[in-house]
Amino acid sequence: MVHNRKDIIMTRTLFSLLGLSLSLIFLSCQPDPIDRALQEITAERLRNHVAVLAADSMEGRGPATRGDELTTAYIVEQYRAIGLEPAGEHGTYLQRVSIVGTRVDPGAVLEVSKGGRTLRLRFGDEFVAFSGLQQAVVSVRNADLVFVGYGIVAPEQNWDDYKDVDVAGKVLLMLNDDPPSDDPAFFGGKARTYYGRWTYKYEIAAKKGAVGAIILHTTESAGYPYSVVQSSWGGENLDIATDTPGGQIA
C-alpha cells in the first residue's frame, strides 16, 4: 500500500512537472510586446500616416474646422483597426473639451515712445501678440517699458535679470533664448534650456507682476525665421477654457 501510494504521488508530481513544462513552453511561444511593436511599427506605416495627416485635404487640422473633423475620423478609424477599446464619452473614442479662441485686431499697432519720438509697429508684419486672458478685450495702454536682459531668474546659475528691478505694472522687453555659451554647464551651452523658451519668459514676467512682455526675435537666437512666428501666432490662438464646466484648470 505504501509503495502504491508513492507511485501515485510520483505520478502526480510527474504530471505536475509536465504541466508546468508545457505551460512554460506555451508562454515562451507568446509574442513579446516589444517584438510585436517593432514588427507593427515600421517606417513605411509611419510614413503613410504622416502623409495622410499632412495632406492638403486635412486643411491644416485646425481645431473646430472641417480639417479637424477629417483628422479625428481618420485617427478613430485607426484605433478601431488596431483593436483599441473606446474609453471616451458614451462609448466613443472622443472626449469633449471646451476651448477658447483669441484673435488680435488685424489693424492693431504697437507704439513705443520716448523723448518725443514714436516707433509704430504693424501687427503681423512687424510683431505678433496674444494673451492668456480669456476676456472679450485685452488692451495695454501707457505702460512703461523696461529692458530685463534675457528675463531669467536661475539661482543655480547665479543669474537674476530681475534683481533690483521694479517691473510691476510694466511691459518687459527681453532677449530670446538663453545667454550664449559653449560650456554645457552654463545654461546648457549651445543647447536651449527651458529658461530660453518663450513660455518660461512669459511665466516669470507674470509672476513678477508685469502687464506684458515683448521678446525680441532674431533668426539666429530663435533658430528659425520670423515667418514661422507669423504663421504660428499671427492668426487665431486656442486654449482650454477656464470659465466653463469641465474646462477648469486646477
Side-chain angles (χ1 to χ4, degrees):
M1 293 294 292
V2 175
H3 178 70
N4 290 339
R5 186 169 181 269
K6 286 183 178 180
D7 285 344
I8 294 172
I9 294 174
M10 291 180 65
T11 301
R12 288 178 176 173
T13 302
L14 287 173
F15 274 121
S16 297
L17 290 174
L18 179 60
L20 178 60
S21 298
L22 290 174
S23 296
L24 290 174
I25 293 173
F26 176 75
L27 290 174
S28 66
C29 293
Q30 295 298 308
D32 181 80
I34 296 179
D35 290 339
R36 182 179 179 183
L38 291 175
Q39 294 173 4
E40 296 292 334
I41 303 175
T42 64
E44 182 180 2
R45 287 189 175 183
L46 290 175
R47 191 179 298 110
N48 291 337
H49 289 312
V50 171
V52 172
L53 295 174
D56 291 343
S57 60
M58 294 299 183
E59 302 175 356
R61 307 183 305 280
T65 65
R66 176 176 175 275
D68 179 24
E69 295 177 357
L70 293 174
T71 302
T72 301
Y74 176 79
I75 294 175
V76 166
E77 184 58 34
Q78 298 309 307
Y79 284 172
R80 289 197 182 97
I82 62 177
L84 287 182
E85 295 183 4
E89 298 175 357
H90 310 297
T92 69
Y93 293 92
L94 307 178
Q95 178 181 1
R96 186 176 297 276
V97 177
S98 297
I99 61 175
V100 172
T102 59
R103 185 182 294 274
V104 177
D105 181 348
V109 175
L110 174 63
E111 292 187 351
V112 181
S113 300
K114 181 179 181 180
R117 299 177 59 185
T118 299
L119 174 66
R120 293 172 58 88
L121 303 176
R122 299 185 305 275
F123 174 73
D125 294 336
E126 297 171 302
F127 81 97
V128 296
F130 58 91
S131 173
L133 299 177
Q134 297 182 4
Q135 57 192 52
V137 178
V138 177
S139 178
V140 177
R141 297 178 182 275
N142 301 323
D144 291 337
L145 185 66
V146 180
F147 179 66
V148 290
Y150 287 92
I152 293 175
V153 178
E156 73 281 8
Q157 299 286 351
N158 193 29
W159 190 285
D160 187 353
D161 284 316
Y162 290 90
K163 184 178 181 181
D164 301 325
V165 181
D166 179 18
V167 299
K170 301 175 182 178
V171 175
L172 309 185
L173 181 67
M174 59 186 72
L175 300 172
N176 195 14
D177 206 1
D178 302 296
S181 173
D182 292 328
D183 182 3
F186 184 72
F187 288 102
K190 293 184 178 180
R192 177 172 297 176
T193 69
Y194 188 64
Y195 291 120
R197 297 187 61 81
W198 59 264
T199 45
Y200 166 79
K201 296 177 186 290
Y202 291 147
E203 287 168 359
I204 191 67
K207 289 180 181 179
K208 294 294 184 178
V211 296
I214 301 173
I215 299 176
L216 295 173
H217 175 92
T218 66
T219 299
E220 181 180 5
S221 65
Y224 47 81
Y226 178 66
S227 59
V228 175
V229 180
Q230 289 175 303
S231 61
S232 299
W233 301 102
E236 183 180 32
N237 295 296
L238 302 169
D239 202 354
I240 297 176
T242 59
D243 56 355
T244 57
Q248 298 290 341
I249 300 178

